[in-house]
Amino acid sequence: MAELVFFSGTMDCGKSTLALQMDYNHSARGRGGILFSRNDRAGNAMISSRLGLKTRAVEVTDHTDFWDEVIRTRGAGDRVDYLICDEAQFYSEEQIEQLARIVDEMEVDVFAFGIATDFRTRLFPGSQRLIELADRIEVLQVRSLCWCGRRATHNARTVDGVMVVTGDQVVVGDVDKRPADPGPEALFEPEEAGAPPVVGYETLCRRHYMRRMGAQQAARYAGTGEDPDICAVGTVRE
């Protein structure tokens, strides 16, 4: 029986790596599939992993109809036994329902990969619909880590290194640069005049998410003898 499976986890837990591995495993057994993604870090029409793996995919837009994509591919003479759907949190609720229909009426396996909640700890609409409709939900076991070394459970957005909890749900930002890489002295340098704000993302444990303490803010107190957790109060930017 075909299944709709949602693989979920925070950033850095290996979702895209697993998506590429599953495509390899299924295609190696002679199964045919279509790969989809949206807003991948490597650009349009790509699925990429932070380990350096990447492959071409169909870019999902607001107008993508998964049912039509499968019909079109089969009409061209290609097999479609499964779909790999990366960055599924960015899909619409209607598109998730299309995927469920494909499983039920076409007997095509759908493997969806995505983040469940946004930087405000609110469910993405696509992820919420997947949780409501999926046959199985798999939480990835590779643990992302907070800057403190604890297991990361939340995705945080930063603007110029300061954690924010308001703003548009989807904003493209730098997820590869590690905020604590610069030396402590660089954290106190004034921003370049007129420079646009730098949007970034990092993973935090619940403790430091709730205290609004990202890596750069913690680094400000390195070597000062102050407890960054105590100094966290009031650092959040609205």
Side-chain angles (χ1 to χ4, degrees), residues 15-79:
K15 295 183 298 299
S16 296
T17 301
L18 179 59
L20 295 174
Q21 181 67 51
M22 290 192 68
D23 175 56
Y24 173 81
N25 289 349
H26 284 264
S27 63
R29 296 298 179 267
R31 305 190 79 204
I34 309 176
L35 280 66
F36 295 93
S37 188
R38 182 166 190 172
N39 299 334
D40 187 90
R41 66 183 69 84
N44 285 348
M46 296 291 296
I47 295 179
S48 67
S49 163
R50 289 188 177 85
L51 296 181
L53 305 173
K54 62 181 179 180
T55 191
R56 301 294 300 178
V58 177
E59 181 71 15
V60 177
T61 70
D62 292 340
H63 305 292
T64 297
D65 187 308
F66 290 104
W67 183 275
D68 288 347
E69 291 286 344
V70 174
I71 294 296
R72 186 181 305 112
T73 301
R74 285 182 168 176
D78 296 322
R79 293 186 58 170

Side-chain angles (χ1 to χ4, degrees), residues 76-130:
D78 296 322
R79 293 186 58 170
V80 181
D81 301 304
Y82 65 92
L83 305 182
I84 299 289
C85 299
D86 201 22
E87 306 294 353
Q89 70 271 12
F90 298 135
Y91 301 0
S92 70
E93 296 179 31
E94 292 75 16
Q95 288 171 329
I96 300 303
E97 292 170 5
Q98 291 168 14
L99 294 174
R101 182 187 172 205
I102 288 170
V103 173
D104 294 338
E105 299 185 24
M106 292 189 180
E107 287 293 325
V108 171
D109 286 311
V110 174
F111 307 114
F113 302 79
I115 296 169
T117 58
D118 62 18
F119 72 105
R120 303 165 301 179
T121 70
R122 301 292 189 267
L123 286 167
F124 283 98
S127 299
Q128 178 174 334
R129 200 69 182 122
L130 275 166

